[in-house]
Amino acid sequence: MGRAVDPSRAAGRFAARPDVITRTTSRGLVVWPLDEAAPMLLSPLAALVWEQLDVPADLDTLATRVRHRFEGGTAPDRARITSAVEHLVSQRLLEPVGPSSARREG
Amino acid sequence: MTATTATLAAVTATGLASRHPAMDPLDPPSWSHLCHLVAHHRLQGLLVAAIQQGDIAVTAEQADAAAELHLEAMVHAVGLERELVRLSLRLRGVGIQHRVLKGPAVAHTAYADPALRVFGDLDLLVDGADMDRALAELSRAGYRPTQPRLRPGFDAEFGKSVSLANDEGLEVDLHRTLVMGPYGLLVDESELLAVGSAPLRIAGHQLPTLSLEQLFLHACYTAGIADIPARWVTLRDLAQLLLTTDVDTRAVRDLAGRFDAHALVAWAVIEAWDRLALADSPPLVAWARRHQPSPRDLRWRHAHTTGGYAPLAWASLSALPRLRDRVRFARALLAPSRSFLRARDETRMSWALRGARTLRRASGATP
């Protein structure tokens, strides 16, 4: 935690933190990690990304999962998904898991 | 039935097979009244679901207001659950056996999406013998009783629960039993604590709660006598548990029989089915309609509906089998602690006189 991660370069996998309380609303996903002082409201895309990472995945797998959720609609492009991942990592809602070749190289 | 009440009923029954007709949009004053009632009855999640499913028609502004109400309720709910995890782990850490009751327990075990079930506080059950230790532990966690206690030791032996709050305004009811009054005295809390719990997992933590049958029975106590008329959300809980979970209704009746609570189950189930106008009729509903309450059940229900502490206390005396318990119970009620009286702006004399007046009124109106 606290270590800078660049998901656009990272080849590692990400996972949603398990110690988070959530509620789905039409305004977005309300999330409150146990050790945080305040809740957060995630945008629909960030919520979708977070929910898909209930099972850890790398960015390619995540993009496929997100695309499947749109069922013929316009799925968000890779850059938007990466941006959502970055946001969630910065909020400490996602954790990098497993070895990341980008970080090993760095 | 007013349009507001009919809409409230349709909201409560949303997603279940109900004979309530789809409702047209309410005018602004009626909508405002509905929003007030929705918050009181903890129906914000079901309101949004009813709008999404077309069970009630609303204007765009009303849909927006409903979404805001729900968001506000969900922010409060996740805050309460965060606190619940903290408190449950704390009690577990000092070896106090406990069970999570009501809102969070039902939200996660009976509803497909916990966002449908709103709650405003936390309820925990402990054994009476652990009550003082649990209160001390909650005190260390920042919680204080909201009112002075009647007498030292009363809550652990005869009371229903102690209400506590912390500096942030979060409220916890620490229960010894499921309901106030005579029926509550017949509940064996050690049996509730002995049975394995329904799966309640929050933020990666497995928390202890009641079994589905016990949760259902608790909802019957709440709808049958604790809140008359019952809150809509409690009626929905009953229908939700009965129609969408594997609750074993024979086990419910057996459990209710051991606690002398068959009449409560019948009253609660009938009220839920009639007010929600539910189309499905499981065998328990037919049993409830056939059930004949005893004269004692009618007297005790009357004590609950009369209002005031004295009729309930009088009825409670008859639920205590041992003379020495009756004496201790009566002494606590007749001579409460000074802090208890001071908080109510009463003296011992005014307290006794008021109790006698309420009792006289209640006995004069006994059915």
Side-chain angles (χ1 to χ4, degrees):
Chain A
M1 275 301 157
R3 193 163 157 184
V5 175
D6 179 358
S8 62
R9 292 193 304 116
R13 294 152 68 230
F14 297 89
R17 274 177 63 177
D19 59 340
V20 175
I21 298 167
T22 66
R23 283 295 191 280
T24 307
T25 77
S26 55
R27 291 281 194 259
L29 187 71
V30 180
V31 295
W32 199 335
L34 289 181
D35 62 356
E36 296 289 340
M40 292 169 256
L41 181 65
L42 301 185
S43 69
L45 177 59
L48 181 60
V49 165
W50 192 81
E51 285 165 353
Q52 298 308 308
L53 288 172
D54 189 31
V55 177
D58 57 27
L59 279 172
D60 287 333
T61 309
L62 171 64
T64 305
R65 286 182 193 168
V66 170
R67 271 198 300 276
H68 283 162
R69 289 292 305 271
F70 280 80
E71 295 172 354
T74 308
D77 59 25
R78 173 68 176 256
R80 284 184 63 208
I81 294 174
T82 302
S83 171
V85 169
E86 266 179 322
H87 172 68
L88 292 169
V89 170
S90 73
Q91 297 294 316
R92 305 202 325 141
L93 289 168
L94 289 185
E95 293 173 334
V97 293
S100 159
S101 58
R103 275 191 281 144
R104 276 205 306 276
E105 288 161 12
Chain B
M1 187 184 279
T2 65
T4 306
T5 307
T7 305
L8 203 59
V11 165
T12 309
T14 195
L16 303 174
S18 165
R19 292 187 295 276
H20 283 294
M23 298 300 298
D24 293 330
L26 295 172
D27 58 45
S30 300
W31 170 260
S32 175
H33 184 45
L34 178 80
C35 288
H36 169 77
L37 292 173
V38 158
H40 172 72
H41 289 272
R42 316 257 193 254
L43 298 173
Q44 295 94 321
L46 292 168
L47 174 63
V48 170
I51 293 170
Q52 287 170 346
Q53 291 170 28
D55 289 336
I56 66 166
V58 293
T59 65
E61 290 78 16
Q62 290 171 346
D64 208 42
E68 278 302 310
L69 277 178
H70 187 221
L71 176 60
E72 193 181 315
M74 291 300 96
V75 168
H76 189 56
V78 294
L80 282 169
E81 284 191 354
R82 178 172 171 268
E83 193 65 1
L84 177 63
V85 172
R86 188 171 81 94
L87 295 179
S88 180
L89 293 179
R90 204 171 174 126
L91 291 176
R92 187 186 297 172
V94 293
I96 296 176
Q97 201 182 16
H98 59 283
R99 293 286 185 268
V100 178
L101 306 176
K102 300 174 86 170
V106 181
H108 286 275
T109 58
Y111 289 80
D113 180 356
L116 290 170
R117 177 58 162 89
V118 171
F119 46 89
D121 63 2
L122 300 174
D123 295 86
L124 294 166
L125 174 80
V126 295
D127 193 291
D130 286 332
M131 178 64 93
D132 286 340
R133 269 202 319 137
L135 284 170
E137 196 56 33
L138 293 182
S139 171
R140 279 189 281 277
Y143 285 84
R144 301 280 179 275
T146 55
Q147 293 197 329
R149 297 163 74 184
L150 186 70
R151 295 282 296 180
F154 183 86
D155 298 310
E157 204 170 7
F158 305 116
K160 183 201 85 171
S161 61
V162 178
S163 295
L164 307 138
N166 70 1
D167 290 341
E168 294 164 26
L170 296 183
E171 294 174 13
V172 176
D173 283 345
L174 189 65
H175 289 247
R176 183 199 67 84
T177 184
L178 301 181
V179 70
M180 189 184 282
Y183 287 108
L185 291 169
L186 297 178
V187 170
D188 177 4
E189 73 265 28
S190 63
E191 178 170 349
L192 299 177
L193 290 161
V195 176
S197 77
L200 173 60
R201 196 167 182 81
I202 298 177
H205 293 276
Q206 188 71 44
L207 305 186
T209 183
L210 301 177
S211 68
L212 288 176
E213 291 73 26
Q214 293 169 341
L215 285 170
F216 184 85
L217 184 62
H218 191 188
C220 288
Y221 279 106
T222 307
I225 48 166
D227 295 333
I228 299 177
R231 276 192 183 186
W232 286 96
V233 74
T234 313
L235 302 180
R236 172 63 188 236
D237 285 348
L238 286 168
Q240 187 75 24
L241 281 159
L242 198 50
L243 294 174
T244 72
T245 74
D246 294 329
V247 65
D248 180 345
T249 54
R250 180 176 290 275
V252 168
R253 283 169 53 187
D254 289 347
L255 181 62
R258 289 196 291 282
F259 296 166
D260 261 345
H262 276 154
L264 295 185
V265 174
W267 285 324
V269 167
I270 290 169
E271 184 165 6
W273 252 251
D274 287 351
R275 280 173 62 188
L276 298 184
L278 295 169
D280 295 329
S281 189
L284 189 68
V285 178
W287 169 85
R289 295 199 189 280
R290 286 196 309 272
H291 181 79
Q292 292 292 321
S294 70
R296 190 207 65 178
D297 287 321
L298 294 173
R299 280 200 308 277
W300 284 4
R301 185 172 160 95
H302 178 71
H304 274 274
T305 54
T306 303
Y309 202 73
L312 213 48
W314 183 252
S316 298
L317 278 175
S318 61
L320 292 169
R322 295 186 304 185
L323 179 63
R324 65 178 181 184
D325 288 339
R326 292 182 187 186
V327 170
R328 278 212 313 282
F329 183 85
R331 190 165 50 198
L333 289 172
L334 292 172
S337 68
R338 287 184 197 284
S339 56
F340 179 89
L341 290 171
R342 208 167 30 242
R344 286 162 178 74
D345 208 16
E346 299 265 13
T347 63
R348 288 215 163 147
M349 182 60 77
S350 67
W351 174 257
L353 286 173
R354 204 156 62 78
R357 272 199 304 274
T358 318
L359 262 182
R360 201 165 44 241
R361 259 203 319 275
S363 60
T366 299

